[in-house]
C-alpha cells in the first residue's frame, strides 16, 4: 500500500515542477532532477529487494519439499536404508541452514505437529513392534506444544495413536500421551522434564461391543457399566528415574528449524532426529 501511494504522489508528468521552472528556473530544474533521480532509485531498489526475498523463499520451499520427498517412502524412518538416511541427513542440514541461530518463537512453536520421520530408537522400536506383532497397531504420532502465552517454556505432549485389531478401532483405538514440561535454556535448546505417561480415549470396536452387550438381546446394567468403563478408562503413571525413584527424567532437545509448517528437532546426545509438519489441533 505504501509503495502505490508513493508512486501517485509524484506523477510522471511533473506538472508542479514545470510551474516552478517558470518562476525560478535554476532552482526548480535542480529540484526536479533530484526528485526524479531519487524517485527512480527508490523504484529500482523496491523492485530488486522483493525479487531477492522471493527467490530465497522459493529455494527454501524446494529444500523442504526435497526433505519430505526423501522421507516419504521410509515409513517414518522404520525401513530407511543407510543410503536413504544419508540423503535425509543432507536434506535436513540444507533446511536447517536457513534460520540457524534464530531464537525460538514460542508463538510459532505452539500447536500440534505430526511426525513424518525419525531416527530415534525409542520411537523406531514402537514402530517395529507394530510391524511385527499382528495384534498391535501404531497410528499417527504427534508432538503438541502449549506455550503461546508463556514465557521461556511450556508443556509438550508426545501423542501416539495405537490400537489392538478387533478389540479397538483401527489406528485410533486408544491414545498414549507422554507429558513433559520444557524450559528454553538457550537460543535453540529446550530442556524437557518428563512428568507422566497416560493412556486415554479408549474406542472399543463394534465386535467387542457386540460381545459385551449384544444388540439383539436386552442390555443388562452390568454390560452397560462395562462399556462405560472401557470408554472412559484412563490410566496415569508418573515418570520416575528407575535408579532414584525421583522425577528427574529429562533431556535436551535442539530445535534445529522452525517455521509455520515445519519443525525439525535433534535429541541432544545422539538420540535421533525428528521431522514434523503442522497438523490440525488435538483435543486431549
Amino acid at each position: 500500500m505504501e509503495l502505490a501511494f508513493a508512486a501517485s504522489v509524484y506523477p510522471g508528468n511533473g506538472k508542479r515542477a514545470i510551474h516552478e521552472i517558470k518562476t525560478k528556473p535554476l532552482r526548480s530544474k535542480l529540484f526536479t532532477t533530484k526528485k526524479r533521480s531519487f524517485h527512480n532509485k527508490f523504484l529500482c531498489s523496491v523492485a530488486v529487494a522483493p525479487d531477492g526475498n522471493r527467490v530465497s523463499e522459493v529455494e527454501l520451499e524446494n529444500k523442504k519439499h526435497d526433505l519430505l520427498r526423501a522421507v516419504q517412502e521410509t515409513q517414518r524412518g522404520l525401513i530407511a536404508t543407510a543410503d536413504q538416511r544419508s540423503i535425509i541427513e543432507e536434506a535436513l542440514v540444507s533446511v536447517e541452514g536457513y534460520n540457524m541461530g534464530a531464537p525460538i518463537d514460542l508463538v510459532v512453536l505452539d500447536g500440534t505437529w505430526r511426525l513424518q520421520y525419525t531416527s530415534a530408537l525409542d520411537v523406531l522400536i514402537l514402530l517395529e513392534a507394530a510391524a511385527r506383532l499382528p495384534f498391535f497397531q501404531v497410528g499417527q504420532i504427534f508432538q503438541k506444544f502449549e506455550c503461546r502465552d508463556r514465557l521461556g517454556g511450556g508443556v509438550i505432549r508426545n501423542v501416539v495413536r495405537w490400537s489392538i485389531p478387533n478389540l479397538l478401532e483401527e489406528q485410533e483405538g486408544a491414545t498414549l500421551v507422554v507429558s513433559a514440561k520444557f524450559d528454553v535454556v538457550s537460543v535453540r535448546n529446550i530442556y524437557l522434564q518428563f512428568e507422566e505417561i497416560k493412556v486415554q480415549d479408549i474406542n472399543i470396536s463394534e465386535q467387542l461391543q457386540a460381545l459385551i452387550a449384544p444388540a439383539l438381546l436386552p442390555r443388562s446394567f452390568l454390560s452397560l457399566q462395562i462399556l462405560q468403563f472401557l470408554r472412559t478408562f484412563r490410566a496415569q503413571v508418573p515418570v520416575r528415574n528407575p535408579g532414584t525413584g525421583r522425577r528427574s527424567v529429562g533431556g535436551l532437545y535442539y530445535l534445529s528449524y522452525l517455521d509455520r509448517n515445519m519443525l525439525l528437532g535433534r535429541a541432544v546426545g545422539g538420540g535421533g532426529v525428528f521431522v514434523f509438519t503442522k497438523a490440525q489441533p488435538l483435543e486431549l
Side-chain angles (χ1 to χ4, degrees):
M1 294 298 292
E2 293 180 357
L3 298 183
F5 179 75
S8 64
V9 171
Y10 300 102
N13 56 19
K15 290 183 178 180
R16 182 178 179 183
I18 293 173
H19 176 73
E20 291 180 355
I21 289 173
K22 292 180 180 179
T23 55
K24 297 180 179 181
L26 181 60
R27 181 180 178 183
S28 300
K29 186 174 182 179
L30 291 173
F31 174 80
T32 305
T33 302
K34 290 180 180 179
K35 178 67 70 178
R36 287 177 178 172
S37 175
F38 170 78
H39 185 54
N40 291 338
K41 288 180 180 179
F42 179 73
L43 289 178
C44 180
S45 64
V46 168
V48 171
D51 286 345
N53 293 337
R54 202 174 298 120
V55 169
S56 178
E57 291 176 2
V58 170
E59 289 177 350
L60 173 57
E61 291 303 315
N62 287 337
K63 297 293 185 182
K64 290 161 60 178
H65 177 74
D66 291 342
L67 174 57
L68 292 178
R69 185 172 56 187
V71 307
Q72 187 175 14
E73 302 298 329
T74 67
Q75 294 183 21
R76 293 179 285 190
L78 176 62
I79 61 172
T81 65
D83 289 341
Q84 285 176 314
R85 292 197 184 280
S86 178
I87 293 172
I88 291 168
E89 178 63 26
E90 185 178 344
L92 272 165
V93 172
S94 182
V95 175
E96 289 169 341
Y98 276 86
N99 68 355
M100 187 176 295
I104 299 170
D105 189 336
L106 294 182
V107 175
V108 177
L109 181 62
D110 183 86
T112 304
W113 302 86
R114 186 196 312 273
L115 179 69
Q116 302 293 342
Y117 171 84
T118 186
S119 61
L121 291 180
D122 54 347
V123 180
L124 292 180
I125 289 174
L126 189 65
L127 296 176
E128 185 175 3
R132 291 178 177 273
L133 302 176
F135 55 85
F136 182 58
Q137 292 180 344
V138 174
Q140 298 295 338
I141 300 176
F142 303 93
Q143 276 191 342
K144 182 179 181 182
F145 286 87
E146 299 173 7
C147 52
R148 178 179 294 272
D149 300 321
R150 312 193 186 199
L151 297 176
V155 175
I156 177 175
R157 305 184 196 278
N158 296 301
V159 182
V160 180
R161 304 289 198 192
W162 61 278
S163 180
I164 300 176
N166 299 323
L167 296 181
L168 304 178
E169 290 185 3
E170 292 287 327
Q171 300 296 325
E172 297 188 359
T175 301
L176 175 70
V177 182
V178 181
S179 301
K181 290 183 179 179
F182 76 89
D183 296 303
V184 179
V185 295
S186 67
V187 175
R188 306 292 291 182
N189 283 305
I190 62 177
Y191 182 78
L192 305 181
Q193 184 73 42
F194 293 99
E195 294 192 312
E196 69 176 13
I197 300 174
K198 181 165 52 178
V199 177
Q200 62 184 50
D201 301 333
I202 305 295
N203 300 311
I204 61 177
S205 66
E206 294 182 359
Q207 296 94 318
L208 182 57
Q209 291 186 51
L211 181 63
I212 296 173
L216 299 180
L217 297 176
R219 295 190 175 188
S220 66
F221 175 77
L222 179 59
S223 64
L224 292 175
Q225 287 295 100
I226 293 174
L227 287 175
Q228 183 64 22
F229 170 78
L230 292 174
R231 289 168 178 166
T232 60
F233 175 80
R234 175 177 295 191
Q236 295 175 271
V237 180
V239 177
R240 299 184 184 276
N241 190 312
T244 64
R246 299 178 181 178
R247 293 191 181 187
S248 58
V249 181
L252 281 175
Y253 188 36
Y254 176 63
L255 302 180
S256 57
Y257 179 83
L258 171 66
D259 65 21
R260 296 192 179 277
N261 54 40
M262 178 172 280
L263 169 64
L264 306 181
R266 294 178 180 268
V268 177
V273 301
F274 299 86
V275 177
F276 291 93
T277 55
K278 201 63 178 287
Q280 294 297 319
L282 283 181
E283 295 296 334
L284 297 176

